Amino acid sequence: MFDTALTANDLVFLAKGAGMTLLVTASSVFFGTILGILFGVIRYQIGPWWATPMTLVLDVFRSIPLLIQLVLANAFITTVLGLRISGFAVACGVLSLYTAAYCAEIVRGGIEAVPQTLRRAARSLGMTWGQDMTYVVLPLATRVALPSWIGLALGVMKDSALVYIVQVVELLKSTQILITRLQEPLFLLMICGLFYFLISFPIARFGGYLEKRWSND
Amino acid sequence: MKTSVFAAGLLAATALALPAQADKLDDIIASGTLRCAVVLDFPPMGSRDASNNPVGFDVDYCNDLAAALGVTAEIVETTFPERIPSLMSGRVDIAVASTSDTLERAKTVGFTIPYYSFENAVVANEKIEMSTWEDMKGKVVGATAGTYEAIWLEGKVKEWGEGEFRPYQTQADVFLALSQGQLDATVATVEVSQANVKSGNYPGIKIVDKTPMVPDYVALITLREEYGLINYMNLFINQQVRTGRYNELYKKWVGDGEPASLIVEGVYR
Amino acid sequence: MFNYNFRWNQALSSLPQMLEGALVTIEIAVLSMAIGITVAILLTLFRLSGSRPLSAIATTWVEIARNTPALFQIYMVHFGLGGFGIHLSPYLSLLIGIAFNNAGYLTENFRGALKAIPETQTRAARSLGMSPIQAFQNVILPQMLRISFLPMTNQMVWAILMTSLGAVVAMNTDLYGVTSELNARTFRTFELFAIAAVIFYVITKAITLSARLLAARLFRY
């Protein structure tokens, strides 16, 4: 049906780009979530007033375009500090902080959604703060936070397309490289878009399903 | 007793305070790898073959230089706007990327003597009526952001006061836009223009005229303060011409015609 | 440690150009939101109409917009449509790309907002003799917009941030494009982009703050 010059070799090349996208996404979401949970819990514990400096700093990551964050981090680390780091490391670092900034909010919202009465009951039963967090807050907060977190993870996957700016060859850049050689922009872009769609759509639907199931309607 | 301890301490301090001045040339030889920034959407200087491997004049040049230094070459793909930033950030040691030797850039990086020279031509969409470069006036033109041609073209568009200039991120995007008709014309080196027209990848483009720019000499670049490396590369380029390798690479990648003469007549060859 | 000569004055002298670029950025974001909201209301009506094909159009639009990268969408609008002979200037490509994205996300937000409005409202409006369109326009729409106000503000901030993607379609008059061009000439990457980052921060904070003030005035009760 399609008369194309695309070879199996090229599909492998695209697959490598896709693998890079997934790798960057997975690393960033992993580290970002850990940091996000940390920041979220800290922010909840010490209250909004004391946490203002941290909130302001995290807010910066949500108010500046990701492209600029990547370029700035790259320029700062490599040119100003003179450290030799791969583009991949810069990309993961910036995306992790970006994820953490959003995740902190999600985590905080999740913790706040746990009724205070339940938590006080747990403490009055003799649980330590740690036990309270692990056995009472964690399950309930996760229910509230998970759909938003899934949305965040998918958002990071889509934003991973921007890491081409620090010379990481991910899926969209690989597609552009092939377009240069093969001159079939529409066809190749369709494949690229299809990949993102096929990963994002089912997971997003699943997140929606979870949200419906766990809501209190 | 105290003076001798003091003297010994001073001696030790001076020994420690004089580190061996290893410059980039030493670093490259010691590390065993030469990292070159090469632009791969710029045939015949740099492009990818059917297995997506880097090939081209610049790629061969980098390999030659690495062989001369006794190290392995590592081709780091860069886009045109990224050549100098990647050098500044330490991602690459040198850039073998057809970098035009402008004075503005020389404030930031160190240039060698020219290793190639380009003439630039106007490439237009077939449907546009054009016969000379001045017919670009009032049209939608574009070029790759940050290149010599782009700066010249943008200056001309400002001077004419009409028409539109678009800086695309890669050479490939420029030619794609040109063949789609989104750009009426662009300015590119004669080699690239011919290679792209010949390849048939971009249907509907034609070469119109040469531009009145002075020959576009391109050189190898590295950090401004690396005099040792710059001197070495100067001699290397000279040797490439002397041994005939320059002509050989020209025949292999560009083909017909004579390569631009890089010889200073009666002075040095 | 800092083996780098900061040249701040060289970067600051380009501040007027960058501020002009910032105006273009705001302009694109505002226009894309206007188009996005209009289209989103339209798509919401499609969904409510109960007609299968219209619903399908709305769902397709929303799912594509929300499941593919914005960069991809903008690139598609310019080069994808270009393959069909439809030529859009970089400005239009960026605008339409962002508007497409906005419409998708806003339709989803509106759907969530509609769920919070009881059915009884529509029924009461209809029983008063209003036609479906009148009922929607006079009763449902204002409530829907009010509930979605915060998500719409977020989307506006997103639109501002998305304008930075214009570089791939040769957009050189918005803030990111101007900064990028200056960088290609002078290589003062850190200084230039740091200033651009500050300008973006100020713009987004200004939007969030004015939205909050607006909300306090509009939704006083």
Side-chain angles (χ1 to χ4, degrees), chain A residues 163-206:
Chain A
V163 300
Y164 75 89
I165 202 93
V166 288
Q167 320 307 320
V168 174
V169 182
E170 42 68 55
L171 181 59
L172 192 54
K173 186 83 181 110
S174 310
T175 314
Q176 288 175 322
I177 291 178
L178 282 183
I179 291 179
T180 309
R181 250 192 56 229
L182 300 176
Q183 281 316 297
E184 296 170 20
L186 218 53
F187 180 58
L188 288 166
L189 283 174
M190 287 294 183
I191 299 182
C192 173
L194 202 63
F195 172 82
Y196 283 109
F197 192 81
L198 287 177
I199 302 236
S200 178
F201 185 67
I203 300 181
R205 272 295 153 110
F206 178 65

Side-chain angles (χ1 to χ4, degrees), chain B residues 203-268:
Chain B
I205 62 178
K206 59 174 188 207
I207 301 180
V208 172
D209 187 20
K210 287 231 175 88
T211 52
M213 301 196 287
V214 292
D216 181 8
Y217 287 103
V218 297
L220 307 180
I221 50 174
T222 185
L223 294 175
R224 224 178 51 193
E225 61 268 17
E226 296 296 340
Y227 303 113
L229 185 55
I230 295 177
N231 283 329
Y232 184 88
M233 291 200 288
N234 282 340
L235 187 57
F236 170 74
I237 294 173
N238 225 281
Q239 298 276 2
Q240 292 279 83
V241 176
R242 267 189 230 173
T243 58
R245 177 80 173 140
Y246 171 61
N247 282 342
E248 192 186 316
L249 285 177
Y250 184 90
K251 287 258 171 329
K252 176 179 175 191
W253 291 107
V254 185
D256 20 82
E258 282 297 309
S261 168
L262 297 179
I263 298 175
V264 183
E265 285 297 340
V267 176
Y268 189 47

Side-chain angles (χ1 to χ4, degrees), chain B residues 170-187:
Chain B
T170 64
Q171 182 81 284
D173 279 348
V174 172
F175 274 92
L176 183 56
L178 187 65
S179 75
Q180 283 183 350
Q182 311 220 38
L183 288 178
D184 294 326
T186 180
V187 170

Side-chain angles (χ1 to χ4, degrees), chain A residues 24-84:
Chain A
V24 171
T25 308
S27 325
S28 311
V29 170
F30 179 71
F31 289 112
T33 308
I34 295 178
L35 280 175
I37 294 179
L38 195 67
F39 290 142
V41 171
I42 292 178
R43 189 158 179 286
Y44 179 76
Q45 289 298 128
I46 66 183
W49 208 90
W50 287 108
T52 318
M54 184 170 75
T55 318
L56 277 177
V57 169
L58 288 179
D59 197 33
V60 168
F61 289 103
R62 296 184 299 170
S63 315
I64 300 181
L66 194 53
L67 264 185
I68 291 193
Q69 288 180 38
L70 286 165
V71 170
L72 213 47
N74 195 31
F76 185 69
I77 294 177
T78 52
T79 319
V80 177
L81 292 181
L83 296 171
R84 211 180 272 188

Side-chain angles (χ1 to χ4, degrees), chain C:
Chain C
M1 182 173 88
F2 282 170
N3 183 19
Y4 182 76
N5 304 319
F6 286 98
R7 292 197 208 150
W8 286 105
N9 20 336
Q10 202 178 352
L12 282 172
S13 64
S14 332
L15 196 57
Q17 276 176 289
M18 290 211 265
L19 289 176
E20 269 183 35
L23 284 178
V24 176
T25 299
I26 298 178
E27 183 187 308
I28 295 180
V30 168
L31 282 176
S32 72
M33 275 305 279
I35 300 177
I37 293 178
T38 317
V39 174
I41 294 179
L42 201 67
L43 290 179
T44 310
L45 281 173
F46 280 6
R47 274 220 178 119
L48 291 177
S49 71
S51 138
R52 275 296 212 76
L54 290 181
S55 248
I57 294 177
T59 315
T60 316
W61 185 308
V62 171
E63 294 304 334
I64 294 184
R66 282 167 29 111
N67 287 310
T68 54
L71 185 63
F72 168 80
Q73 290 164 20
I74 294 171
Y75 199 77
M76 253 316 229
V77 168
H78 192 71
F79 286 109
L81 290 184
F84 285 126
I86 306 176
H87 300 157
L88 297 167
S89 71
Y91 184 90
L92 273 181
S93 311
L94 185 62
L95 183 62
I96 293 180
I98 299 181
F100 176 83
N101 195 284
N102 281 345
Y105 278 94
L106 285 170
T107 310
E108 224 11 57
N109 290 334
F110 288 166
R111 189 173 70 91
L114 282 178
K115 283 213 297 202
I117 304 175
E119 266 271 358
T120 48
Q121 299 262 350
T122 327
R123 283 195 224 124
R126 292 301 306 278
S127 68
L128 281 176
M130 292 192 196
S131 76
I133 295 293
Q134 278 178 316
F136 182 78
Q137 192 181 330
N138 296 316
V139 177
I140 306 293
L141 188 60
Q143 295 188 56
M144 183 179 83
L145 289 177
R146 176 172 161 174
I147 298 178
S148 316
F149 191 74
L150 184 57
M152 283 203 282
T153 313
N154 283 339
Q155 194 62 36
M156 175 76 181
V157 170
W158 273 109
I160 296 266
L161 299 185
M162 274 197 276
T163 59
S164 61
L165 303 175
V168 293
V169 291
M171 180 71 187
N172 60 347
T173 46
D174 67 312
L175 178 53
Y176 185 86
V178 167
T179 316
S180 204
E181 268 208 335
L182 288 169
N183 184 35
R185 252 177 249 267
T186 63
F187 311 110
R188 295 284 116 203
T189 316
F190 182 73
E191 294 92 322
L192 285 168
F193 279 104
I195 297 177
V198 169
I199 299 180
F200 266 111
Y201 184 79
V202 167
I203 296 178
T204 50
K205 282 301 135 197
I207 290 180
T208 321
L209 235 94
S210 31
R212 228 174 270 179
L213 288 174
L214 201 61
R217 290 299 304 281
L218 283 180
F219 310 140
R220 204 138 13 164
Y221 52 98

